[in-house]
Each structure stands twice: as C-alpha cells, then as structure tokens.
Amino acid sequence: MIRGTTTLIAHIGYPTEAFKAPMIYNPYFEQAGIDAVVVPMGVRAEDYPQVLAGLFKLTNIRGALITMPHKVTTLELMDEVSPTAKIAGACNAVLRRPDGSLLGDMFDGAGFVRGIQRKGCQLTGARVLVVGCGGVGCAIAASLAAAGIAAIELFDAHAVSADGLAERLRRHYPALEVGTGSKDPAGYDLVVNATPMGMDEGDALPMDVSRIAPSTFVGEVVMKQEMTAFLRAVQARGCRFQVGTDMLFEQIPAYLEFFGFPTATPEHLRSVAKLSY
C-alpha cells in the first residue's frame, strides 16, 4: 500500500514496457514490510536532464534506477560518481544524500559478475570477449577487470565506443591485455553478448556461434525473455550460460544496500517476484 510516508524510487527510462524492476522490488518491499515503492517513469532523452533535476526536488524520493537511453547522460548530471561508473562511462543508480547531493553508481557489471561466479565461472586469469560497448557492456567490462581477468577483447558496431572503453580500462588496469575490433568468439573462456542482437528467432546473432567452444561460458544481457535465440544457439553447442535476468537479480541486493534498505538474496527475490515472459 502506498501511503503519505512511502519512500519513492524512480525507475527512469524510455520506453517502459519491458521494465522488470517494479515487479521484483515492490513484491519484496511488501513482503518485507518496507514502506517504499519503485515507480516506472517514461522519459524521452531530450527531456531527461530537466526531469531528473525536478524529480530530486521531491522531499520523499530517495533515489532512482536508470535504464536506457539515459545511463551515459546520467554521469554528467551527478555531483559525484563511483570509480566503477567512471570506468563504465555510465550510471544506473542515483542516490540523493542527506545534503541533497546526487551520487551515481553502476551495478550492471557487479550483478553480471556475481552471477557467473556463483555458477562456477572462474575469472582469475580468464580471457574474455565482450560484444557491445554501450552502458551495460562497459559496466560488465569494468567489473570483469576488477575481478582479475587476464585479457579482454571489445567489439562494438561503433568502433569509437570500444576504443573509448579500451582506453579507460588500460588507464585503470595497466596489466590487463585489452584488444578491440574482433568479435570472433573462438578461444575465450567467457563470451558476453551485451547487445540486443539475437533476441528473437530470425534475428541476426551477435557473433558466429559455431566458433564458440562448448567449454566457453556465455553471458546474455537481454531481459525481454530468458531464453533468447542466441542463448538457445549456445545451449545447443553445450555451453554453460547465464540468462539476462540473473544479472538483474544478482545486482538488486547491491542496489538495496546503496539505497539504505534491508538487503535480500537473489533466491529470495526470485521467490517473491511477479515476473512474466
């Protein structure tokens, strides 16, 4: 029940139809007796800076979840950003601190890494391919670097995006071997699809799946449905994999702590979520 005392968390993006967070956070808040609510808010890119500033004039808002197409823009609208957000070049969480200043952070990468590690994917010394260097791809690359991988290859249809991420990774992780320009998945321990490609049957796949070895672990970021056409293709190759929503559930405990709410396990969050596909 929403009351006059309810704390607001905005979920901002455009369009909103595919948003999953309200169907996870709000059942959890209700079950845990937490007087808070996540509210989806559709905001077009041209209106976003003004809307964000206005929202944080509200006295009962604590923070915001930020999704496409606003993650990169958010970086320059904050008073302070975390090191992870700096490397990722994007923010997906905003906290209003007691003095009214805004702190930005990025949890996509942390959620992805925690998820694959819990599934037994060993990252220390691993060789990784990340296809897609937008906000989520950059966040995942930053968290993988922090987890101790040995080498990473970055590919994006817009080469400048991959080159920019490569430069930031080299600056913060000088021992990391960083390459750009190839999306051939052969020879990697972990392959990440951080693009919307390969979502539905008949879509072009983000890479040549026949080149992925069965021993390779594969990660997906698409959340529209759990088993994308890309994941079905790598499953047929015999690969272990992580679905996109696992990244979401794994990062939510970190979000809850960031906003100052009681935390929960991914398993508990899944048990109370009201998701449909």
Side-chain angles (χ1 to χ4, degrees), residues 30-220:
E30 183 177 1
Q31 185 270 337
I34 298 170
D35 191 12
V37 64
V38 170
V39 182
M41 299 182 180
V43 182
R44 290 183 172 87
E46 60 268 26
D47 300 320
Y48 177 63
Q50 181 179 0
V51 169
L52 187 74
L55 276 175
F56 280 99
K57 299 295 185 184
L58 298 174
T59 59
N60 59 336
I61 189 169
R62 182 171 301 179
L65 309 171
I66 308 298
T67 190
M68 295 300 293
H70 307 311
K71 293 181 183 181
V72 174
T73 303
T74 302
L75 200 69
E76 61 195 45
L77 302 176
M78 298 294 99
D79 297 299
E80 183 182 347
V81 295
S82 71
T84 300
K86 288 179 182 178
I87 297 170
C91 290
N92 71 349
V94 178
L95 173 69
R96 187 177 69 181
R97 295 181 289 196
D99 64 358
S101 64
L102 301 182
L103 172 64
D105 209 335
M106 170 55 78
F107 294 109
D108 282 343
F112 182 90
V113 167
R114 287 173 58 172
I116 63 174
Q117 286 178 322
R118 275 162 42 93
K119 295 173 180 68
C121 182
Q122 300 299 316
L123 292 177
T124 302
R127 299 184 62 82
V128 180
L129 169 67
V130 176
V131 177
C133 298
V136 65
C138 289
I140 289 171
S143 293
L144 288 170
I149 62 172
I152 189 167
E153 178 73 21
L154 306 168
F155 179 86
D156 195 275
H158 303 284
V160 66
S161 297
D163 292 341
L165 174 57
E167 181 181 347
R168 295 192 298 275
L169 284 171
R170 292 184 184 113
R171 184 164 62 248
H172 289 273
Y173 297 96
L176 179 64
E177 179 187 331
V178 182
T180 62
S182 173
K183 61 175 180 177
D184 180 0
Y188 291 99
D189 303 298
L190 169 66
V191 167
V192 183
N193 175 35
T195 79
M197 296 180 70
M199 188 183 305
D200 299 313
E201 288 296 339
D203 286 356
L205 296 182
M207 63 197 74
D208 183 354
V209 173
S210 70
R211 297 277 293 167
I212 302 177
S215 60
T216 300
F217 195 102
V218 178
E220 171 71 279

Side-chain angles (χ1 to χ4, degrees), residues 2-6 35 60:
I2 298 175
R3 308 169 178 86
T5 57
T6 301
D35 191 12
N60 59 336

